Amino acid sequence: MNDLKQYADVYYADCPVRRALDRIGDKWTVLLIGMLEEGPRRFSDLRRGVGGISQKMLTQTLRSLERDGLISRTLYAEVPPRVEYALTPLGETLCEPISAVVRWTEAHIGEVMAAQAAYDHRAQVKTTPIDGA
């Protein structure tokens, strides 16, 4: 029983919960889940919709999300072949928590930016040599 507790301890390096948190907390995952919340999307739609993501990173993230059971990949036997990605029922359960984090960020971005500017100013003052020293 003690081994099971360690196995489910998020602070333990090999904990599966920790690995899942790593996936869910990834910036690309958050953005892709948000896009897929609106409905199934093709690879090219996702690539255009998520600014800054490379084709390689998009492919890796989609594969990881599919492996984790959060999205499904459907290949349509057409010419040319068409592939769509969609949230699974499990993936849909992430929409509200992710939306809450996005709403929090939008509501507090001014405070975050002010804190960053204050921190950067303090760091700059600490590293600026005093005249005549």
Side-chain angles (χ1 to χ4, degrees):
M1 188 69 168
N2 194 19
D3 289 338
L4 183 58
K5 184 178 178 190
Q6 186 178 29
Y7 184 72
D9 181 354
V10 72
Y11 298 102
Y12 181 66
D14 292 329
C15 175
V17 174
R18 183 168 172 176
R19 290 193 302 269
L21 280 173
D22 287 344
R23 166 64 43 226
I24 294 165
D26 176 73
K27 71 177 177 182
W28 301 123
T29 293
V30 169
L31 296 171
L32 290 170
I33 295 289
M35 285 201 68
L36 291 171
E37 183 177 8
E38 299 171 7
R41 299 283 185 112
R42 295 177 72 169
F43 184 93
S44 57
D45 295 335
L46 293 169
R47 181 135 187 241
R48 277 191 302 273
V50 179
I53 193 167
S54 68
Q55 182 170 336
K56 178 182 175 182
M57 185 53 64
L58 178 56
T59 298
Q60 288 175 349
T61 305
L62 290 170
R63 285 182 183 159
S64 294
L65 291 170
E66 183 180 9
R67 181 174 184 261
D68 291 345
L70 301 174
I71 66 168
S72 62
R73 179 182 184 271
T74 304
L75 174 63
Y76 294 92
E78 301 173 349
V79 178
R82 178 172 54 104
V83 177
E84 282 187 347
Y85 297 90
L87 292 175
T88 63
L90 179 62
E92 288 174 357
T93 65
L94 278 175
C95 293
E96 182 52 36
I98 287 174
S99 292
V101 171
V102 170
R103 286 190 307 271
W104 181 92
T105 306
E106 290 171 341
H108 297 282
I109 191 61
E111 295 163 84
V112 170
M113 292 174 67
Q116 291 171 343
Y119 178 92
D120 293 345
H121 178 73
R122 288 190 308 271
Q124 184 180 16
V125 169
K126 285 182 182 179
T127 59
T128 304
I130 300 172
D131 290 340

